[in-house]
Amino acid sequence: MALAPSLSHFVVVGKADAPHTLDIFLDYVCPFSAKIANGGIESVLRPLLSKGGKYDGKVKVIARLQVQPWHGSSLYTHEAALAVARIKPEAYWPYSLALFKHQEEYYDKPTLDLSPTQVRQKLAALAAESLGNAGWSDAATTEFINLVTPQSTNNGGVAVTEDLKYTIKFSRQNSIHVSPTVLWDGIVANEVSSGWGEKEWSEFLEKKVTV
């Protein structure tokens, strides 16, 4: 599947030139997305696809963004991840994992009485808290706020809106509707479940990997 060069950090596991691709579409306020991110990507796929793993150099995982607009804060969490990636690309996935860990704070009810600015400030604080060991600085937090704050026109979005549009358009043209959705080499793999563990993923890869 195609990937814009500016979003190369979406490859979160495996080598970028690996011949097989797992596209996994995730929403930060979706509990099933959190389940597959932690229990699938981190616990199972990372050991299998990383250096020394059985499928090292054969399969890569692209963590795609899938905004679910019926959750009010979904937009803001996705903007936040894109802002972090703009500042520090290698922090995209660590911040994504932090968003999943704290996702309940961004559910509909907890954010009901918060303004967009307040939600964005919470997301900035989460970046500072979760990425401190990765070299995140006060200057980075200031830049983050600037990237997610409307500054140009009355209706022009924020600095990462074009990146957000790309991810949404990509999902739409590929008929992605739910999160998580998994594609194997560009084809929807309906059999994949967010609850899969090592056994299921290992059996899946054993059947699918042909190189």
Side-chain angles (χ1 to χ4, degrees):
M1 297 291 282
L3 184 62
S6 62
L7 299 177
S8 60
H9 50 272
F10 278 13
V11 179
V12 297
V13 179
K15 296 177 181 176
D17 60 353
H20 288 298
T21 302
L22 274 166
D23 286 281
I24 304 181
F25 291 77
L26 304 167
D27 174 34
Y28 293 120
V29 291
C30 166
F32 300 103
S33 291
K35 194 172 184 179
I36 200 171
N38 291 299
I41 297 174
E42 284 301 297
S43 297
V44 179
L45 294 175
R46 184 171 296 282
L48 287 172
L49 309 186
S50 297
K51 186 176 181 179
K54 183 176 181 179
Y55 299 104
D56 176 19
K58 298 182 179 181
V59 183
K60 63 181 174 291
V61 174
I62 299 179
R64 305 266 187 183
L65 301 186
Q66 175 70 7
V67 177
Q68 304 287 31
W70 44 85
H71 297 304
S73 65
S74 179
L75 167 68
Y76 303 123
T77 58
H78 287 73
E79 285 180 344
L82 290 167
V84 165
R86 183 79 66 87
I87 299 165
K88 201 174 183 64
E90 65 272 23
Y92 163 72
W93 188 238
Y95 185 64
S96 293
L97 293 174
L99 284 169
F100 285 126
K101 182 179 180 180
H102 293 268
Q103 69 174 189
E104 291 188 13
E105 299 173 28
Y106 300 94
Y107 281 1
D108 298 341
K109 282 192 175 181
T111 58
L112 181 63
D113 296 320
L114 298 181
S115 69
T117 296
Q118 289 173 317
V119 174
R120 285 162 167 155
Q121 288 172 340
K122 277 178 60 69
L123 291 163
L126 179 61
E129 174 189 341
S130 62
L131 300 175
N133 292 334
W136 193 262
S137 63
D138 290 343
T141 298
T142 299
E143 186 177 356
F144 174 100
I145 292 293
N146 289 335
L147 288 172
V148 299
T149 300
Q151 294 180 345
S152 54
T153 66
N154 285 336
N155 200 33
V158 299
V160 295
T161 294
E162 289 305 312
D163 289 342
L164 186 68
K165 285 181 179 180
Y166 172 89
T167 66
I168 293 173
K169 290 176 181 178
F170 186 87
S171 293
R172 286 176 177 173
Q173 77 171 15
N174 288 287
S175 300
I176 306 301
H177 299 292
V178 299
S179 60
T181 294
V182 176
L183 278 60
W184 173 262
D185 289 346
I187 303 297
V188 175
N190 284 316
E191 67 269 36
V192 176
S193 168
S194 61
W196 274 14
E198 184 176 358
K199 177 180 181 292
E200 293 84 0
W201 275 113
S202 294
E203 290 176 350
F204 176 85
L205 292 170
E206 186 71 29
K207 294 176 183 177
K208 295 289 189 180
V209 175
T210 60
V211 294

